[in-house]
Amino acid sequence: MELEPSVSIVGAGPAGFALAADLQSHGRCVLVYSHPTHLRHANDVKDKGYLLTSGAINGFANIHITSDMSEAVRFSNIIILTVPSTGQQTVLEELKRFNLRRHTIIAVPGNLFSLIKDTQMEVGCIMETNLSPYACRMDEGGLVVLGKKHLISIAALENNLNQVARETIQGIFPMRLKWCRNIIEVCLSNINGVFHPLMMLMNAGRIESTAGDFFLYRDGLTRSVANAMAAVDRVRIQIGEAFGLRLKSTIEVSNECYGHSFTDFVDLARNSGPHNRLKAPPDLDNRNISEDVPDLLVCWYSLAKKVGVDASPIKAVVILAEMATGIDYIKTGRNLRRLHLEDISRAELMARFGSEQEEMIQSRL
């Protein structure tokens, strides 16, 4: 794997600009790509001539921006995708035009991004993380970073990276990387699937009647919502067990990311700085539903069916989201067909992603 100090970031939203500012402050040369049809934040930064950041990342950053994907590909052989998973397919269609055999693509977060790409598309290395490193938003004054994680999880599609390659990737990121056994473990470690959909759906009336005029976690994550989240979390952990994985609870993952010690969902909602200041969105047309239901919960539900785990709580959330929005997420989301896993057997799935496969890899390192 040939890597260099420069990094191309595909995605000019809050997460992309937060990563760009953070990497630049650590001495990286950064180029941010903004899709020609999504230039609002990019144009704001260009008009000002700089990016003003506040909160966990504080200062000014002179960010170089392009709307030419070929420029982003030429700029660096490290391409970090920070677009929502709903936009990953569009990015893949653009990247198919280029020779990427010497490139490393890292999807932040991935949601099994590695499996939806065209099987004919050749990339040097594909990795994905479980979460974005930042809790952030754009406002008229610039970028507000409510929290920066101390740790995120990562894995490569072909999980055969040696220690030198892992250390090189670690050197890019300004937070610790936890290397997982495979991309299934990374996907199951995206705890947004536990938090976001249920908070949105169980507070739908309040969101729509107040246009989101309340704090989503602090006001919306009550004990009953927490109980529903715990049911989904138990299934998530059971899916992991079917793959031979020992997943941590959602609260444990969040505590690990931020260095917290909260005891349960309600404790976190009331007392976590990165969470308790987040306002609710004005309606349900938000990535907490449009991304986390089809590209995360549907994915978990589909894997659960394949490995024989009862995922009724997850299916209930997906169906409730379908009833509220009118969108058939099980059909349109990241199901086994879209993940190119529909025609393989449970045994073949385990051979590729189960714990025995990891043990064989470790024995060769």
Side-chain angles (χ1 to χ4, degrees):
M1 181 186 302
E2 297 180 16
L3 299 173
E4 54 197 46
S6 60
V7 176
S8 291
I9 296 174
V10 174
F17 278 124
L19 180 61
D22 206 4
L23 291 181
Q24 196 164 283
S25 71
H26 285 79
R28 293 281 176 185
C29 297
V30 178
L31 177 67
V32 173
Y33 167 83
S34 181
H35 193 274
T37 62
H38 294 84
L39 292 171
R40 180 166 64 95
H41 295 315
N43 286 338
D44 288 345
V45 174
K46 284 182 177 181
D47 291 344
K48 291 179 181 177
Y50 59 86
L51 173 68
L52 174 64
T53 63
S54 60
I57 302 174
N58 196 18
F60 295 86
N62 294 311
I63 305 295
H64 299 288
I65 302 171
T66 184
S67 296
D68 182 351
M69 184 63 85
S70 64
E71 183 179 358
V73 171
R74 290 194 306 269
F75 183 79
S76 176
N77 66 352
I78 306 164
I79 301 175
I80 301 179
L81 273 58
T82 61
V83 297
S85 59
T86 50
Q88 289 173 347
Q89 193 66 54
T90 299
V91 172
L92 282 171
E93 290 301 314
E94 291 193 63
L95 288 174
K96 281 170 61 175
R97 300 184 288 120
F98 304 99
N99 182 350
L100 301 174
R101 293 184 181 89
R102 299 172 67 87
H103 284 70
T104 295
I105 298 178
I106 308 172
V108 180
N111 296 345
L112 294 186
F113 162 83
S114 308
L115 298 182
I116 68 167
K117 75 173 184 66
D118 190 323
T119 55
Q120 302 302 313
M121 182 178 175
E122 295 186 36
V123 182
C125 185
I126 300 180
M127 304 180 194
E128 49 186 88
T129 70
N130 64 327
L131 297 163
S132 168
Y134 314 95
C136 54
R137 67 170 187 265
M138 301 290 288
D139 63 20
E140 294 180 1
L143 175 70
V144 180
V145 183
L146 299 172
K148 174 181 172 181
K149 297 178 178 68
H150 305 305
L151 176 147
I152 57 175
S153 297
I154 191 171
L157 174 60
E158 302 299 334
N159 199 5
N160 55 3
L161 298 182
N162 59 33
Q163 188 61 31
V164 173
R166 292 186 178 192
E167 290 174 357
T168 302
I169 297 299
Q170 175 62 81
I172 298 170
F173 284 86
M175 64 282 303
R176 187 163 72 87
L177 299 178
K178 177 182 179 180
W179 289 92
C180 293
R181 290 183 171 187
N182 51 52
I183 58 173
I184 297 293
E185 183 177 4
V186 169
C187 175
L188 289 170
S189 299
N190 186 344
I191 55 176
N192 288 340
V194 176
F195 279 116
H196 294 164
L198 277 166
M199 277 195 301
M200 294 287 290
L201 293 167
M202 295 182 76
N203 286 279
R206 189 174 186 181
I207 288 171
E208 293 177 336
S209 64
T210 68
D213 189 20
F214 66 98
F215 293 104
L216 186 59
Y217 282 81
R218 192 172 74 191
D219 300 329
L221 206 172
T222 59
R223 181 58 58 192
S224 295
V225 178
N227 290 341
M229 288 180 177
V232 170
D233 203 31
R234 286 191 292 270
V235 176
R236 180 186 66 87
I237 291 171
Q238 289 168 6
I239 299 169
E241 289 173 351
F243 282 93
L245 304 170
R246 295 182 180 179
L247 300 177
K248 294 184 177 181
S249 72
T250 287
I251 292 299
E252 289 172 324
V253 173
S254 182
N255 284 341
E256 191 176 46
C257 286
Y258 287 108
H260 292 159
S261 56
F262 298 116
T263 57
D264 59 27
F265 290 111
V266 176
D267 184 22
L268 178 147
R270 292 174 178 171
N271 300 303
S272 170
H275 298 91
N276 64 12
R277 292 172 290 164
L278 283 173
K279 294 294 291 290
D283 52 47
L284 293 187
D285 185 15
N286 180 271
R287 62 187 295 180
N288 289 344
I289 296 291
S290 63
E291 177 176 356
D292 293 335
V293 173
D295 295 342
L296 199 50
L297 290 188
V298 169
C299 177
W300 293 355
Y301 173 67
S302 301
L303 290 173
K305 286 185 63 179
K306 196 75 169 181
V307 299
V309 171
D310 180 4
S312 299
I314 293 176
K315 185 178 182 180
V317 179
V318 174
I319 290 176
L320 182 58
E322 291 179 357
M323 292 167 62
T325 64
I327 300 172
D328 187 345
Y329 289 116
I330 291 180
K331 181 179 180 180
T332 61
R334 291 193 178 172
N335 51 42
L336 295 178
R337 178 185 57 79
R338 289 199 60 206
L339 296 174
H340 303 290
L341 298 176
E342 184 178 33
D343 296 326
I344 71 172
S345 67
R346 182 185 187 279
E348 291 170 325
L349 184 67
M350 289 300 171
R352 185 174 181 185
F353 296 114
S355 59
E356 292 182 2
Q357 181 254 12
E358 166 66 11
E359 290 168 1
M360 288 189 293
I361 288 174
Q362 291 298 327
S363 68
R364 295 198 298 266
L365 293 180

PDB file of all heavy atoms in Angstrom, residues 241-255:
ATOM      1  N   GLU A 241     -22.867 -12.385  17.767  1.00  0.00           N
ATOM      2  CA  GLU A 241     -22.537 -13.708  18.318  1.00  0.00           C
ATOM      3  C   GLU A 241     -22.632 -14.786  17.259  1.00  0.00           C
ATOM      4  O   GLU A 241     -21.832 -15.734  17.247  1.00  0.00           O
ATOM      5  CB  GLU A 241     -23.470 -14.015  19.488  1.00  0.00           C
ATOM      6  CG  GLU A 241     -23.188 -13.166  20.728  1.00  0.00           C
ATOM      7  CD  GLU A 241     -24.235 -13.357  21.814  1.00  0.00           C
ATOM      8  OE1 GLU A 241     -25.270 -14.013  21.539  1.00  0.00           O
ATOM      9  OE2 GLU A 241     -24.026 -12.854  22.941  1.00  0.00           O
ATOM     10  N   ALA A 242     -23.608 -14.659  16.359  1.00  0.00           N
ATOM     11  CA  ALA A 242     -23.756 -15.645  15.286  1.00  0.00           C
ATOM     12  C   ALA A 242     -22.537 -15.669  14.370  1.00  0.00           C
ATOM     13  O   ALA A 242     -22.222 -16.698  13.772  1.00  0.00           O
ATOM     14  CB  ALA A 242     -25.015 -15.361  14.480  1.00  0.00           C
ATOM     15  N   PHE A 243     -21.846 -14.528  14.282  1.00  0.00           N
ATOM     16  CA  PHE A 243     -20.625 -14.436  13.480  1.00  0.00           C
ATOM     17  C   PHE A 243     -19.365 -14.682  14.329  1.00  0.00           C
ATOM     18  O   PHE A 243     -18.253 -14.475  13.855  1.00  0.00           O
ATOM     19  CB  PHE A 243     -20.524 -13.053  12.825  1.00  0.00           C
ATOM     20  CG  PHE A 243     -21.394 -12.880  11.618  1.00  0.00           C
ATOM     21  CD1 PHE A 243     -22.659 -12.345  11.731  1.00  0.00           C
ATOM     22  CD2 PHE A 243     -20.944 -13.260  10.360  1.00  0.00           C
ATOM     23  CE1 PHE A 243     -23.475 -12.184  10.624  1.00  0.00           C
ATOM     24  CE2 PHE A 243     -21.748 -13.103   9.237  1.00  0.00           C
ATOM     25  CZ  PHE A 243     -23.023 -12.569   9.370  1.00  0.00           C
ATOM     26  N   GLY A 244     -19.556 -15.081  15.565  1.00  0.00           N
ATOM     27  CA  GLY A 244     -18.413 -15.324  16.439  1.00  0.00           C
ATOM     28  C   GLY A 244     -17.811 -14.061  17.015  1.00  0.00           C
ATOM     29  O   GLY A 244     -16.655 -14.057  17.440  1.00  0.00           O
ATOM     30  N   LEU A 245     -18.598 -12.982  17.061  1.00  0.00           N
ATOM     31  CA  LEU A 245     -18.106 -11.693  17.539  1.00  0.00           C
ATOM     32  C   LEU A 245     -18.642 -11.407  18.936  1.00  0.00           C
ATOM     33  O   LEU A 245     -19.787 -11.730  19.252  1.00  0.00           O
ATOM     34  CB  LEU A 245     -18.543 -10.571  16.597  1.00  0.00           C
ATOM     35  CG  LEU A 245     -18.144 -10.713  15.129  1.00  0.00           C
ATOM     36  CD1 LEU A 245     -18.857  -9.653  14.277  1.00  0.00           C
ATOM     37  CD2 LEU A 245     -16.639 -10.610  14.967  1.00  0.00           C
ATOM     38  N   ARG A 246     -17.835 -10.784  19.763  1.00  0.00           N
ATOM     39  CA  ARG A 246     -18.261 -10.359  21.090  1.00  0.00           C
ATOM     40  C   ARG A 246     -18.406  -8.840  21.070  1.00  0.00           C
ATOM     41  O   ARG A 246     -17.459  -8.105  21.361  1.00  0.00           O
ATOM     42  CB  ARG A 246     -17.260 -10.798  22.148  1.00  0.00           C
ATOM     43  CG  ARG A 246     -17.164 -12.311  22.305  1.00  0.00           C
ATOM     44  CD  ARG A 246     -16.179 -12.699  23.400  1.00  0.00           C
ATOM     45  NE  ARG A 246     -16.091 -14.143  23.560  1.00  0.00           N
ATOM     46  CZ  ARG A 246     -15.290 -14.760  24.440  1.00  0.00           C
ATOM     47  NH1 ARG A 246     -14.510 -14.020  25.237  1.00  0.00           N
ATOM     48  NH2 ARG A 246     -15.263 -16.081  24.515  1.00  0.00           N
ATOM     49  N   LEU A 247     -19.564  -8.381  20.693  1.00  0.00           N
ATOM     50  CA  LEU A 247     -19.800  -6.946  20.566  1.00  0.00           C
ATOM     51  C   LEU A 247     -20.086  -6.324  21.923  1.00  0.00           C
ATOM     52  O   LEU A 247     -20.724  -6.936  22.788  1.00  0.00           O
ATOM     53  CB  LEU A 247     -20.983  -6.687  19.630  1.00  0.00           C
ATOM     54  CG  LEU A 247     -20.859  -7.187  18.189  1.00  0.00           C
ATOM     55  CD1 LEU A 247     -22.147  -6.899  17.429  1.00  0.00           C
ATOM     56  CD2 LEU A 247     -19.673  -6.557  17.480  1.00  0.00           C
ATOM     57  N   LYS A 248     -19.646  -5.100  22.085  1.00  0.00           N
ATOM     58  CA  LYS A 248     -19.973  -4.343  23.287  1.00  0.00           C
ATOM     59  C   LYS A 248     -21.357  -3.734  23.135  1.00  0.00           C
ATOM     60  O   LYS A 248     -21.862  -3.558  22.027  1.00  0.00           O
ATOM     61  CB  LYS A 248     -18.935  -3.246  23.517  1.00  0.00           C
ATOM     62  CG  LYS A 248     -17.547  -3.780  23.835  1.00  0.00           C
ATOM     63  CD  LYS A 248     -16.569  -2.658  24.155  1.00  0.00           C
ATOM     64  CE  LYS A 248     -15.214  -3.230  24.543  1.00  0.00           C
ATOM     65  NZ  LYS A 248     -14.243  -2.155  24.895  1.00  0.00           N
ATOM     66  N   SER A 249     -21.977  -3.408  24.268  1.00  0.00           N
ATOM     67  CA  SER A 249     -23.277  -2.757  24.220  1.00  0.00           C
ATOM     68  C   SER A 249     -23.137  -1.370  23.617  1.00  0.00           C
ATOM     69  O   SER A 249     -22.027  -0.811  23.534  1.00  0.00           O
ATOM     70  CB  SER A 249     -23.866  -2.649  25.626  1.00  0.00           C
ATOM     71  OG  SER A 249     -23.168  -1.674  26.390  1.00  0.00           O
ATOM     72  N   THR A 250     -24.256  -0.802  23.202  1.00  0.00           N
ATOM     73  CA  THR A 250     -24.228   0.532  22.615  1.00  0.00           C
ATOM     74  C   THR A 250     -23.659   1.552  23.594  1.00  0.00           C
ATOM     75  O   THR A 250     -22.860   2.422  23.203  1.00  0.00           O
ATOM     76  CB  THR A 250     -25.642   0.946  22.170  1.00  0.00           C
ATOM     77  OG1 THR A 250     -25.990   0.196  21.002  1.00  0.00           O
ATOM     78  CG2 THR A 250     -25.731   2.424  21.847  1.00  0.00           C
ATOM     79  N   ILE A 251     -24.031   1.480  24.856  1.00  0.00           N
ATOM     80  CA  ILE A 251     -23.500   2.417  25.845  1.00  0.00           C
ATOM     81  C   ILE A 251     -22.004   2.233  26.005  1.00  0.00           C
ATOM     82  O   ILE A 251     -21.243   3.220  26.100  1.00  0.00           O
ATOM     83  CB  ILE A 251     -24.216   2.237  27.199  1.00  0.00           C
ATOM     84  CG1 ILE A 251     -25.669   2.689  27.080  1.00  0.00           C
ATOM     85  CG2 ILE A 251     -23.524   3.037  28.300  1.00  0.00           C
ATOM     86  CD1 ILE A 251     -25.853   4.144  26.698  1.00  0.00           C
ATOM     87  N   GLU A 252     -21.526   1.001  25.998  1.00  0.00           N
ATOM     88  CA  GLU A 252     -20.091   0.741  26.113  1.00  0.00           C
ATOM     89  C   GLU A 252     -19.337   1.296  24.910  1.00  0.00           C
ATOM     90  O   GLU A 252     -18.246   1.869  25.060  1.00  0.00           O
ATOM     91  CB  GLU A 252     -19.835  -0.750  26.256  1.00  0.00           C
ATOM     92  CG  GLU A 252     -20.266  -1.322  27.600  1.00  0.00           C
ATOM     93  CD  GLU A 252     -20.168  -2.838  27.646  1.00  0.00           C
ATOM     94  OE1 GLU A 252     -20.434  -3.497  26.607  1.00  0.00           O
ATOM     95  OE2 GLU A 252     -19.835  -3.365  28.718  1.00  0.00           O
ATOM     96  N   VAL A 253     -19.895   1.135  23.713  1.00  0.00           N
ATOM     97  CA  VAL A 253     -19.251   1.677  22.514  1.00  0.00           C
ATOM     98  C   VAL A 253     -19.174   3.198  22.590  1.00  0.00           C
ATOM     99  O   VAL A 253     -18.141   3.805  22.318  1.00  0.00           O
ATOM    100  CB  VAL A 253     -19.996   1.235  21.242  1.00  0.00           C
ATOM    101  CG1 VAL A 253     -19.424   1.941  20.010  1.00  0.00           C
ATOM    102  CG2 VAL A 253     -19.909  -0.277  21.068  1.00  0.00           C
ATOM    103  N   SER A 254     -20.285   3.837  22.968  1.00  0.00           N
ATOM    104  CA  SER A 254     -20.306   5.293  23.079  1.00  0.00           C
ATOM    105  C   SER A 254     -19.319   5.779  24.139  1.00  0.00           C
ATOM    106  O   SER A 254     -18.577   6.741  23.921  1.00  0.00           O
ATOM    107  CB  SER A 254     -21.719   5.775  23.405  1.00  0.00           C
ATOM    108  OG  SER A 254     -21.761   7.185  23.469  1.00  0.00           O
ATOM    109  N   ASN A 255     -19.297   5.117  25.284  1.00  0.00           N
ATOM    110  CA  ASN A 255     -18.346   5.495  26.334  1.00  0.00           C
ATOM    111  C   ASN A 255     -16.908   5.371  25.844  1.00  0.00           C
ATOM    112  O   ASN A 255     -16.060   6.226  26.138  1.00  0.00           O
ATOM    113  CB  ASN A 255     -18.542   4.602  27.567  1.00  0.00           C
ATOM    114  CG  ASN A 255     -19.763   4.982  28.388  1.00  0.00           C
ATOM    115  OD1 ASN A 255     -20.275   6.094  28.281  1.00  0.00           O
ATOM    116  ND2 ASN A 255     -20.225   4.061  29.218  1.00  0.00           N
TER     117      ASN A 255
END
